[in-house]
């Protein structure tokens, strides 16, 4: 059994029994990781952490807490003797057949370092698919950023490297793990489960958990103005970008046999894969 480490804030106790019950119903054992609350950290400490940034993205107190929380989860995984672990945030919904992926790591390609289990419904670059033994889902090499740190399988070697990276680089954890610009992703063999077996509660229309994500906080006014300016620039560039995207898509499909698309979420075998839209970076 692949151990599951789920991140949960002490200040959000309602999530703990919800997530634990979900896993118990699936027959999964889980280990709680006490999350770090960035909003309680002194401003001087937050500013010090921001000095280790590499990207121009919002990195508020909540994101800093999330960064340290994933570091804790990697540490707890490395304290075990397991070759693979699963890192989860406490608001993810797991598909009914996800237990197949936790039973053993036998389905994971030998060369793999990371496997992304969730989707955020943003388009990403996917390589040629591989079959998953005993399951109808596929495994694609993940060739670009696919944000979100709600659920991913991680090897012992990758967790060790990430902990070393985190000593010098501080970014939202999903970007640290899955953004090629930060270096780590480009050194790893990363796969994507398709359709995904996990999705964060924010994307569920009925929001069964009714949770507000831990990193939802009001944006600073300057950050909102920056978004408006960036949107205007994007709209001006849209026609050329669409033409380039069309040409690139044809080349990927016809020559390299890869795809640029969103990964759907499948709740159970036999259900219809779903694309659930909501703004995500």
């Amino acid at each position: 059994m692949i151990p599951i480490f789920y991140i949960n804030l002490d200040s959000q106790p309602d999530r703990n029994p919800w997530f634990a019950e979900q896993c118990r119903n699936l027959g999964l054992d889980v280990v709680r990781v006490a999350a770090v609350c960035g909003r309680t950290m002194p401003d001087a400490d937050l500013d010090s952490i921001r000095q280790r940034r590499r990207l121009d993205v919002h990195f508020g107190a909540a994101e800093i807490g999330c960064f340290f929380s994933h570091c804790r989860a990697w540490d707890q995984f490395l304290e075990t003797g397991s070759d693979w672990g699963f890192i989860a945030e406490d608001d993810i919904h797991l598909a009914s057949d996800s237990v197949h992926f936790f039973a053993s790591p036998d389905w994971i390609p030998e060369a793999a370092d990371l496997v992304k289990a969730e989707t955020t419904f943003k388009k990403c670059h996917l390589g040629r698919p591989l079959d998953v033994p005993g399951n109808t889902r596929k495994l694609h090499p993940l060739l670009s950023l696919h944000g979100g740190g709600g659920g991913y399988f991680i090897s012992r070697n990758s967790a060790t490297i990430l902990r070393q990276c985190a000593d010098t680089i501080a970014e939202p954890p999903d970007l640290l793990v899955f953004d090629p610009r930060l270096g780590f992703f480009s050194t790893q063999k990363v796969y994507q489960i398709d359709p995904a077996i996990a999705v964060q509660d924010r994307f569920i229309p009925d929001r069964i958990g009714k949770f507000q994500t831990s990193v939802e906080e009001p944006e600073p006014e300057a950050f909102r103005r920056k978004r408006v300016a960036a949107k205007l620039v994007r709209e001006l560039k849209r026609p050329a970008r669409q033409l380039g995207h069309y040409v690139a898509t044809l080349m990927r499909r016809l020559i390299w046999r890869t795809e640029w698309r969103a990964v759907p979420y499948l709740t159970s075998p036999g259900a219809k894969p779903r694309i659930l839209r909501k703004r995500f970076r």
Side-chain angles (χ1 to χ4, degrees), residues 113-214:
D113 298 299
L114 288 153
V115 181
K116 190 172 180 66
E118 71 165 326
T119 179
T120 57
F121 309 106
K122 294 285 286 185
K123 289 183 178 180
C124 56
H125 192 187
L126 302 171
R128 297 186 184 188
L130 303 175
D131 291 332
V132 176
N135 197 278
T136 59
R137 300 174 198 260
K138 303 291 184 181
L139 277 177
H140 293 265
L142 183 59
L143 306 176
S144 70
L145 169 65
H146 183 188
Y152 54 94
F153 295 90
I154 185 169
S155 68
R156 171 170 293 276
N157 181 62
S158 290
T160 301
I161 297 172
L162 273 172
R163 283 303 286 121
Q164 295 170 351
C165 290
D167 289 336
T168 57
I169 301 174
E171 294 286 356
D174 60 323
L175 299 186
L176 182 61
V177 178
F178 296 109
D179 195 323
R181 295 174 293 176
L182 293 173
F184 168 78
F185 178 88
S186 300
T187 68
Q188 305 293 292
K189 188 67 174 179
V190 186
Y191 287 85
Q192 169 73 56
I193 299 176
D194 177 37
I197 62 170
V199 65
Q200 288 183 297
D201 189 70
R202 73 179 79 175
F203 296 107
I204 299 294
D206 298 331
R207 299 197 72 171
I208 298 173
K210 304 295 183 185
F211 302 134
Q212 180 185 26
T213 178
S214 300

